[in-house]
Amino acid sequence: MIRFLTVCCCWISFSLSAQIKFEATVSKSTVALNERVRVEFTMNEDGDNFVPPDFESSGFQIFSGPSQSIRELWVNGRGSFNKTYTYFLIPEKKGTLTIKSAAIEINNRIYRTNPIKVQVTNAIDPRNDPNTAPVAKNSALYLVTEVSNSNPYVNEPVQVVQKLYFNFNTEISDARDIQKPRYNDFWSQDIEISMFEPETTVFKGNRCLSVILKKAVVYPQKAGKLVIDPYILEVDCRIPTGRMTIFGEVITTDDVRRLTSSGKTIQVKPLPEANKPKNFSGAVGQFSFQALTKKNTIKFGESFDLALKITGEGNLKLFRLPALELPSNLEVYDPEHIENVVTPFKGMTGTIADRYTIVPQEQGIFSIKKLSFSYFDLKTKTYKTITLPDILLTVNDGPGLQAKGQRKNNREVAKAPTFAPLKTDTKLKDIGTADFLGSRLYFLLLFLPLLGIPMAVYIRKRMEENAADIVGNQIRKNSALAKKYLLEADKNKSDKAAFYVALEKALHNFLKAKLRIETAEMRKETIQQIMNEKGADASTVADFIMLIENCEVARYAPSSASVIQNDYETAVKLITELEKQMA
């Protein structure tokens, strides 16, 4: 009995010592938005086919890794084994993020780690981070958001500059956007920068270099305290360590810095209520107002064109033109809106117009009155109103008028039929006395549920087959999404940003459906290769890729209604051709 207990104890001890462990740990559970977190996946038995979590879907970016380390230790004849995969991650957003499970195959069994939650807080100043490696004082880099006016009026243009300051001894090799500036409650337009040219400047009392990374002009859309969110940038640089060689040369080291601007708070003033005109529609700037006509005398049956045109500098895209008020005997169609506006760094400038087509309903002389336009002048800080003189329209005799000037009416009034006399004789018909029980309808309703059973079994079988067809369902889903977003783009032609967002989603879902690839795999070379393998024409593929690349640019670039219509027609044409070529 004692021998049996001894054997059992030894077996249990051996089993516990041979228990396989696969665990995930993080360096800290609470990190700032611009800090790195180390994640380690450790096992006590050697395994194969390691599958890491999908960090990107969890809200992380891989900074480095994986690195692999193995440690074997023998103490008093007993050995221990540890194998570790290490990643350094950077969070992409604030909040509670979850690192999903990793998987490994050990002794023909699959083991998984438990998910880990990481709390991500606001970005911190790297100088206050105790984990930041010490560097020389003259290696500091500063990312600063600068604005031209921190106390503007509503719809007054404000220039925003994202500028990087660094020391002469620091070399910048590359920079990547982690979080672009966001302008909530602003209308914004990014300004393209052709070259990043460093210039000598003074910052915090020290001479240094600076470079402008981004420019934008923004228009606040409401009064009060508005915040421009911080800009987060990752910079590859070579910085001095503060040490020197025996020959007097400065020792430098390669580093990657994540910089965060402090953002900006702008106190926006409301437009004054005193002396505000009743017809004021939100125009802010300096403008001129015109009413343009080709001729003021027409014949009956002809149309009359009138264009209301506003020219100047200000928020041209952010207000309505004056509405046209006409007499009841003048029929007017919906106006054609015309924009010729550019947005340089100083703000919007150009011309907008509404062109009306007016059709007189009778002969005579008509007066178009009340043509006035009001705006807030930023130079004088007062409201100004431009009032135009009345426009007289003369309608003479024409082919559509009779001699007395009345409109011809070729329609003849149909003669109303006379009333028929009331019928006094009643003719009754037998409605029948057939019983429902035993009738054809009775037996049809009786056996119809039985006939529906095979149909229900067939439908259920098809539904199960469709549910099991994961790839087919995904293809059908992507095809449906492509059609949905293409229809949404057609509906949003008047809204440039919404149009190009919907068009880009339609093109991406078409690629997912036809090529069976995900958005992360949509590189130019991959798309060309798969489409060519499926028999698509090379020129059609090139046009399709060019259209995808243009969607992101066109969303922020000025575009006319004709350009948007052309892009939509091009997308429909290319999708139709590729459907046929890759069928």
Side-chain angles (χ1 to χ4, degrees):
M1 184 67 179
I2 295 176
R3 181 179 298 176
F4 175 75
L5 291 175
T6 302
V7 172
C8 290
C9 290
C10 292
W11 181 81
I12 293 173
S13 176
F14 175 77
S15 299
L16 291 175
S17 63
Q19 183 178 5
I20 295 175
K21 294 183 179 180
F22 180 43
E23 300 174 333
T25 58
V26 293
S27 57
K28 46 187 175 181
S29 58
T30 301
V31 297
L33 187 60
N34 57 341
E35 286 185 307
R36 306 170 196 166
V37 59
R38 183 179 69 254
V39 183
E40 295 182 343
F41 302 96
T42 305
M43 64 204 77
N44 62 352
E45 291 285 344
D46 195 8
D48 298 314
N49 302 324
F50 173 69
V51 180
D54 185 358
F55 295 113
E56 292 185 1
S57 65
S58 301
F60 291 93
Q61 176 188 358
I62 298 177
F63 177 77
S64 64
S67 61
Q68 178 180 320
S69 63
I70 297 177
R71 186 181 67 178
E72 294 186 81
L73 185 65
W74 291 87
V75 178
N76 297 329
R78 296 182 62 185
S80 63
F81 175 88
N82 275 299
K83 184 177 181 180
T84 303
Y85 291 94
T86 304
Y87 292 83
F88 284 89
L89 308 178
I90 298 175
E92 295 282 334
K93 57 185 178 180
K94 294 187 295 184
T96 301
L97 307 183
T98 302
I99 299 176
K100 299 178 182 179
S101 301
I104 191 74
E105 182 180 347
I106 303 176
N107 297 334
N108 297 323
R109 290 188 60 184
I110 303 297
Y111 294 85
R112 299 182 185 276
T113 61
N114 294 324
I116 302 177
K117 292 186 177 181
V118 177
Q119 185 69 33
V120 182
T121 60
N122 292 325
I124 62 172
D125 190 334
R127 294 171 295 175
N128 300 330
D129 185 3
N131 299 318
T132 302
V135 296
K137 292 183 180 179
N138 61 356
S139 66
L141 291 88
Y142 299 94
L143 183 61
V144 179
T145 301
E146 299 178 353
V147 298
S148 61
N149 186 0
S150 60
N151 189 218
Y153 282 100
V154 173
N155 271 317
E156 180 178 356
V158 177
Q159 289 76 38
V160 182
V161 175
Q162 307 292 343
K163 188 177 289 188
L164 177 65
Y165 293 92
F166 56 97
N167 191 267
F168 290 97
N169 294 328
T170 301
E171 298 179 10
I172 306 295
S173 58
D174 192 17
R176 297 171 295 279
D177 290 341
I178 301 301
Q179 177 178 294
K180 294 183 179 180
R182 291 195 292 263
Y183 307 106
N184 299 322
D185 298 317
F186 292 90
W187 184 95
S188 63
Q189 175 68 58
D190 292 331
I191 306 301
E192 184 177 354
I193 300 175
S194 56
M195 294 183 63
F196 298 97
E197 195 67 38
E199 60 179 17
T200 303
T201 186
V202 176
F203 183 71
K204 293 188 176 182
N206 298 317
R207 293 181 70 252
C208 62
L209 293 175
S210 68
V211 62
I212 295 176
L213 302 176
K214 290 185 181 296
K215 284 183 177 181
V217 57
V218 301
Y219 289 79
Q221 296 300 291
K222 67 179 184 179
K225 186 180 293 185
L226 302 185
V227 177
I228 297 177
D229 289 346
Y231 175 33
I232 302 179
L233 182 73
E234 195 170 72
V235 178
D236 295 338
C237 57
R238 178 177 288 273
I239 61 175
T241 61
R243 302 189 300 273
M244 303 182 70
T245 66
I246 59 176
F247 301 104
E249 297 177 349
V250 177
I251 299 176
T252 60
T253 182
D254 291 330
D255 194 12
V256 178
R257 296 286 186 88
R258 175 170 281 205
L259 308 177
T260 304
S261 72
S262 58
K264 278 290 180 180
T265 299
I266 296 178
Q267 187 66 41
V268 182
K269 296 179 292 187
L271 296 175
E273 292 295 329
N275 301 320
K276 180 185 287 187
K278 292 183 179 180
N279 65 339
F280 178 72
S281 61
V284 177
Q286 289 82 42
F287 305 100
S288 62
F289 180 45
Q290 296 174 286
L292 305 176
T293 61
K294 293 183 179 179
K295 54 184 179 179
N296 292 68
T297 301
I298 61 173
K299 294 182 178 181
F300 184 84
E302 295 180 344
S303 63
F304 170 72
D305 290 336
L306 173 62
L308 302 182
K309 180 180 178 182
I310 295 176
T311 304
E313 297 179 357
N315 60 332
L316 287 162
K317 295 183 179 181
L318 304 176
F319 64 85
R320 302 185 308 274
L321 279 82
L324 191 62
E325 298 181 8
L326 297 175
S328 59
N329 43 18
L330 293 180
E331 182 180 357
V332 63
Y333 295 94
D334 291 336
E336 176 189 1
H337 185 70
I338 302 170
E339 286 187 1
N340 185 15
V341 180
V342 295
T343 310
F345 192 45
K346 66 178 182 178
M348 282 184 265
T349 181
T351 300
I352 60 174
D354 280 347
R355 186 166 63 194
Y356 293 86
T357 299
I358 302 170
V359 180
Q361 300 300 299
E362 60 185 51
Q363 180 191 16
I365 299 176
F366 306 98
S367 177
I368 302 176
K369 302 179 179 180
K370 298 181 180 179
L371 292 177
S372 62
F373 167 67
S374 299
Y375 66 95
F376 182 74
D377 192 336
L378 290 171
K379 290 184 177 180
T380 62
K381 305 295 188 294
T382 58
Y383 291 99
K384 292 186 177 181
T385 299
I386 303 174
T387 302
L388 302 180
D390 296 351
I391 299 176
L392 296 179
L393 173 61
T394 302
V395 181
N396 295 326
D397 289 344
L401 290 175
Q402 295 179 353
K404 293 183 179 180
Q406 300 299 323
R407 188 199 302 213
K408 294 180 180 178
N409 187 356
N410 295 324
R411 293 178 298 177
E412 295 182 357
V413 180
K415 294 182 179 180
T418 58
F419 287 100
L422 296 176
K423 295 183 179 181
T424 56
D425 295 335
T426 302
K427 295 181 179 180
L428 301 178
K429 294 182 179 179
D430 188 3
I431 60 174
T433 58
D435 293 333
F436 172 72
L437 185 64
S439 64
R440 293 182 180 179
L441 180 59
Y442 169 79
F443 287 106
L444 178 63
L445 295 177
L446 180 64
F447 292 105
L448 189 60
L450 299 177
L451 297 176
I453 293 176
M455 181 61 68
V457 173
Y458 174 76
I459 294 174
R460 181 179 178 83
K461 184 177 180 182
R462 290 301 303 271
M463 291 175 62
E464 291 175 351
E465 291 176 355
N466 291 336
D469 186 11
I470 299 176
V471 175
N473 288 337
Q474 188 63 37
I475 292 174
R476 287 188 288 271
K477 178 182 177 182
N478 290 332
S479 296
L481 286 174
K483 295 177 181 177
K484 172 189 172 184
Y485 286 121
L486 197 60
L487 181 60
E488 184 176 333
D490 187 25
K491 294 180 179 178
N492 290 312
K493 289 180 181 177
S494 58
D495 186 346
K496 179 185 66 177
F499 169 80
Y500 281 108
V501 168
L503 186 62
E504 187 177 12
K505 289 182 179 180
L507 299 177
H508 281 190
N509 281 283
F510 173 76
L511 290 176
K512 290 180 181 180
K514 300 301 293 184
L515 307 185
R516 301 184 186 180
I517 60 175
E518 294 301 321
T519 303
E521 302 172 333
M522 290 184 186
R523 295 184 294 272
K524 178 179 178 181
E525 296 78 7
T526 305
I527 295 173
Q528 286 180 330
Q529 179 183 354
I530 299 178
M531 282 189 172
N532 291 335
E533 290 175 356
K534 289 180 174 290
D537 186 68
S539 61
T540 307
V541 174
D543 291 342
F544 189 86
I545 294 174
M546 183 179 297
L547 181 60
I548 294 177
E549 294 174 346
N550 288 342
C551 280
E552 180 66 24
V553 177
R555 197 185 309 170
Y556 304 101
S559 298
S560 64
S562 60
V563 173
I564 292 176
Q565 179 65 27
N566 182 61
D567 287 345
Y568 175 77
E569 293 175 355
T570 302
V572 174
K573 177 182 177 183
L574 292 174
I575 290 176
T576 303
E577 291 180 356
L578 290 173
E579 284 277 8
K580 296 177 181 178
Q581 295 172 8
M582 296 190 297

